[in-house]
Every structure is written in C-alpha cells, then in structure tokens.
Amino acid sequence: MTHWNAWPHVPDDPEGASGPNRVIVDPPTPTGGRRVRVDDEILGLAHHVADVAEFLRRAGLEIDPVEVAEVPWIDWRGVEPERWGPET
C-alpha cells in the first residue's frame, strides 16, 4: 500500500507524472546502479527496487517494494525496472 506524506500531489497516471513530484529512475550507470531523483533532487543510487522504496520512504513516501516497479508515477528511463547492472 502506498502512503504519501511529503509531497502534496501524486499523479494517478503517467500523463500526470509531468507534475512537480515526478520520480525518475535513470538508466544503469556504467558501473551499475540507477540514480533516483524527484524533479532536480537526487535521492540516491539504487541497486534494486528495494533501494528505490527506501529512498522514497526517507522522502516521506511509504511504498511496498513490491509495488515500486508497477506504480505509474515512477518514470523508469532507458530500461525496465529489472535492470540494475551496467549497460553491456
């Protein structure tokens, strides 16, 4: 279950994800891991969906790690949520 504490708006669909609280997970870096950010604020370098859930929890969003790959307001850039290693 998702519970949002920190930000006032959570988009319900990908079209609404362009609002001020967009969560972006960048493609894997050359050394592995994916940068997670909200707008221009970098939350950290994740190596698994559980890391993304933890970064969001620290930012005030309680989300089950199982839900992270499925929520429409997280923009997974470049590759699917299952990819965490360096690009080959």
Side-chain angles (χ1 to χ4, degrees):
M1 169 129 177
T2 303
H3 179 68
W4 192 262
N5 289 325
W7 299 302
H9 171 70
V10 176
D12 291 329
D13 60 34
E15 297 302 319
S18 61
N21 302 319
R22 182 180 208 174
V23 177
I24 298 170
V25 181
D26 289 328
T29 67
T31 57
R34 299 175 75 165
R35 184 174 57 198
V36 179
R37 56 193 166 101
V38 175
D39 292 332
D40 293 328
E41 181 181 348
I42 297 172
L43 301 181
L45 184 68
H47 293 273
H48 190 272
V49 292
D51 295 338
V52 176
E54 176 61 16
F55 295 150
L56 295 175
R57 184 196 65 77
R58 291 178 188 176
L61 173 64
E62 294 294 330
I63 184 168
D64 186 320
V66 175
E67 295 180 6
V68 170
E70 303 299 322
V71 296
W73 41 266
I74 296 178
D75 182 4
W76 296 90
R77 299 271 174 101
V79 296
E80 63 276 356
E82 295 80 25
R83 295 278 313 269
W84 296 92
E87 294 286 25
T88 57

